[in-house]
Amino acid sequence: MKIQSIRGMNDLLPEQSATWQYLEKTVANVLARYSYSEIRFPVLEQTELFKRSVGEATDIVEKEMYTFADRNGDMLSLRPEGTAGCVRACNENGLLHNQIQRLWYTGPMFRHERPQKGRLRQFHQVGVEAFGLDGPDIDAELLMLTARLWKTLKIDHAVTLQINSLGSADDRANYRLALVDYLSARHDQLDEDSQRRLHTNPMRILDSKNANTQALLNDAPSLEDYINSDAKAHFQQLRDKLDAVGIDYQINPRLVRGLDYYSKTVFEWVTTHLGAQGTVCAGGRYDGLVEQLGGKACPAVGFAMGVERLVLLLDELGVVPDSVGQTVDVYLVAVGDVDSHTLVLAEKLRTACPTIRLQTNCGGGSFKSQMKKADKSGAALALILGDDEAANKTVGVKLLRQDKAQETVGQEQLADYLTTLITTD
Ligand code: ATP
Ligand code: MG
């Protein structure tokens, strides 16, 4: 029997990796323009890290983590998200001591969920975290940065921003009591998931997908009424800043996020184009987490975007530039007794034209079959080297995407000729 991949853990084939690279390049470029630096940390951490940050009663820790004892008996988990590891790494390396950090990372995350469109067991996130700033200006910066990314990717028309404020940990605790009171009295009307959450993570009931539960929540106590004045002011200032820079948003009073560490601002960028898995980017402020993980108190805010969902959206909207996925600009056809001449010419061209992607025909074949391969490669033009061309130090140039007669160009002029003909990005 053939060994198969693990369910929900996909291979990324060359055809798709081009779109991934395009997305990753665009993200890295936008982040650089906002002066964010990349941080890398392991995919494996002590299980305790996630219990203490994401929260014991969250879906992620309760039932989605890949957890195992290693050969020493230490309990380890594959990271289900990046913020915990990022904060751990920053604390451990003294990055947060009286310092401001603007950081990003990308890589695989692991959650044992039911695989479906836009939901995998190994998925990828780009995460962005800003440390040492407690004002709404940095919250706004993160949202400006994401808005610019959507614009650059040409998906801005397909995503909308939802924001909410969760207040402080105390506010949330007070609200939680009121919510549990209200819902406990209506226990039988709740869906099964929400009944379970009532005792573990009641705030999560607010974003239940169940219509009855949602209807029941219409008369429930409102989180807004429990939020302290400092958090209220923070939220209002964030809104003013978003208005000033022209970023549209909806206030969603039921947006709570599934992780324990958030406070004050939370947000999600959502799309209607991907079915149920419509959140492409989500985050918020987590002012208490650094201290909770053993560091000196340090305000922080961040978000993560789901790479698979963004790739799906790019494909769905057909906004990936045509040039993405193209790997060959020039195809070198060689017929006759010109083997080493071909290789020397190809290497010379690669040195002289570093941006041009040149594929040499390997494995021989007739002129006709090589031209077929040249065409299939997607190259803009074929260079043709035969015995005569080799003797005369020329090449034949055939444009493959235009109806134009073949030309002969001197090998000395070839680099200049190609550079003016082919513009790559
Ligand atoms: P969801 O509502 O989809 O369960 P979440 O609240 O669990 O998302 P976060 O932990 O905030 O998600 O992760 C940030 C982003 O990572 C999500 O908005 C989504 O784009 C992506 N993401 C989360 N879980 C998965 C998954 N299992 N497969 C693919 N992408 C995911
Ligand atoms: Mg989830």
Side-chain angles (χ1 to χ4, degrees):
M1 214 171 75
K2 260 196 222 145
I3 296 177
Q4 304 248 306
S5 67
I6 297 167
R7 199 163 113 82
M9 302 203 179
N10 287 353
D11 303 310
L12 188 64
L13 305 181
E15 197 191 326
Q16 306 152 311
S17 68
T19 303
W20 280 60
Q21 283 183 5
Y22 162 68
L23 175 61
E24 286 161 357
K25 232 163 87 183
T26 309
V27 173
N29 178 272
V30 169
L31 284 162
R33 292 171 68 187
Y34 287 79
S35 79
Y36 283 67
S37 310
E38 187 182 359
I39 182 167
R40 302 186 188 195
F41 43 87
V43 294
L44 209 53
E45 299 273 0
Q46 294 191 42
T47 301
E48 190 59 23
L49 174 68
F50 303 112
K51 285 194 178 167
R52 292 234 312 254
S53 54
V54 175
E56 296 253 18
T58 58
D59 284 355
I60 292 179
V61 170
E62 237 180 21
K63 48 184 194 187
E64 295 174 0
M65 278 210 299
Y66 283 89
T67 296
F68 58 93
D70 80 352
R71 289 173 190 277
N72 305 325
D74 297 328
M75 291 313 290
L76 307 180
S77 295
L78 283 166
R79 62 183 184 193
E81 57 100 56
T83 303
C86 184
V87 170
R88 199 254 331 121
C90 286
N91 277 342
E92 197 165 324
N93 294 284
L95 260 52
L96 304 182
H97 202 72
N98 297 327
Q99 289 171 80
I100 290 169
Q101 296 287 353
R102 288 176 166 85
L103 304 174
W104 70 275
Y105 50 83
T106 183
M109 307 292 161
F110 304 85
R111 296 184 195 175
H112 196 277
E113 305 194 68
R114 193 169 68 80
Q116 52 197 294
K117 182 181 171 189
R119 194 177 293 289
L120 295 149
R121 290 181 173 176
Q122 173 174 314
F123 63 101
H124 297 74
Q125 288 183 339
V126 175
V128 179
E129 320 281 358
F131 296 99
L133 296 163
D134 61 7
D137 47 357
I138 187 70
D139 303 16
E141 178 177 295
L142 291 180
L143 293 170
M144 277 147 45
L145 180 166
T146 44
R148 182 178 295 277
L149 177 63
W150 310 145
K151 213 170 212 160
T152 311
L153 292 169
K154 302 190 170 58
I155 57 173
D156 49 319
H157 62 287
V159 290
T160 50
L161 173 62
Q162 300 192 346
I163 58 174
N164 192 22
S165 177
L166 299 182
S168 67
D170 283 346
D171 297 344
R172 267 210 322 281
N174 288 334
Y175 174 67
R176 195 186 143 117
L177 287 176
L179 184 67
V180 170
D181 257 8
Y182 174 87
L183 291 175
S184 296
R186 293 156 184 83
H187 185 270
D188 297 345
Q189 291 161 261
L190 286 171
D191 62 278
E192 207 177 301
D193 247 0
S194 298
Q195 287 182 351
R196 183 175 53 79
R197 284 186 170 137
L198 191 54
H199 307 291
T200 56
N201 197 357
M203 300 271 288
R204 202 67 214 272
I205 298 174
L206 292 182
D207 66 11
S208 158
K209 304 273 183 293
N210 186 286
N212 289 335
T213 299
Q214 277 300 329
L216 203 62
L217 286 166
N218 286 336
D219 299 318
S222 159
L223 176 56
E224 211 193 330
D225 299 333
Y226 287 77
I227 288 174
N228 69 76
S229 57
D230 172 45
K232 267 201 181 122
H234 185 106
F235 194 50
Q236 185 56 51
Q237 286 165 29
L238 171 62
R239 292 175 55 186
D240 293 344
K241 287 175 202 312
L242 294 178
D243 292 339
V245 292
I247 295 178
D248 291 335
Y249 55 85
Q250 294 165 357
I251 296 174
N252 177 354
R254 294 192 185 166
L255 182 67
V256 290
R257 315 281 306 113
L259 296 73
D260 269 3
Y261 51 61
Y262 288 111
S263 56
K264 291 188 178 161
T265 313
V266 288
F267 61 86
E268 287 192 359
W269 287 93
V270 295
T271 179
T272 54
H273 293 261
L274 298 179
Q277 275 61 250
T279 304
V280 293
C281 173
R285 183 163 277 285
Y286 50 96
D287 290 338
L289 183 62
V290 173
E291 192 175 22
Q292 201 177 308
L293 291 178
K296 201 174 136 233
C298 175
V301 56
F303 65 80
M305 44 198 162
V307 176
E308 282 81 0
R309 290 186 197 178
L310 284 170
V311 168
L312 280 172
L313 187 57
L314 291 172
D315 285 340
E316 184 92 10
L317 299 174
V319 291
V320 180
D322 286 342
S323 58
V324 169
Q326 198 179 303
T327 56
V328 186
D329 301 310
V330 175
Y331 193 98
L332 182 50
V333 167
V335 276
D337 194 16
V338 293
D339 261 10
S340 44
H341 195 123
T342 310
L343 298 185
V344 172
L345 177 66
E347 286 303 279
K348 263 195 187 153
L349 284 176
R350 289 190 181 109
T351 303
C353 313
T355 61
I356 289 178
R357 295 162 297 184
L358 173 70
Q359 187 170 107
T360 55
N361 185 79
C362 284
S366 69
F367 174 73
K368 206 173 147 195
S369 78
Q370 289 193 39
M371 286 303 282
K372 250 195 197 150
K373 284 203 257 174
D375 187 48
K376 223 180 133 191
S377 76
L381 61 88
L383 299 179
I384 300 152
L385 190 69
D387 294 317
D388 287 353
E389 285 85 358
N392 301 333
K393 295 227 170 318
T394 60
V395 288
V397 178
K398 176 71 184 145
L399 297 183
L400 297 170
R401 316 291 154 200
Q402 286 173 44
D403 194 14
K404 237 173 133 185
Q406 184 173 322
E407 280 186 69
T408 302
V409 178
Q411 288 182 14
E412 292 305 317
Q413 286 81 53
L414 195 55
D416 285 343
Y417 182 91
L418 291 179
T419 306
T420 47
L421 208 66
I422 295 177
T423 49
T424 49
D425 43 29

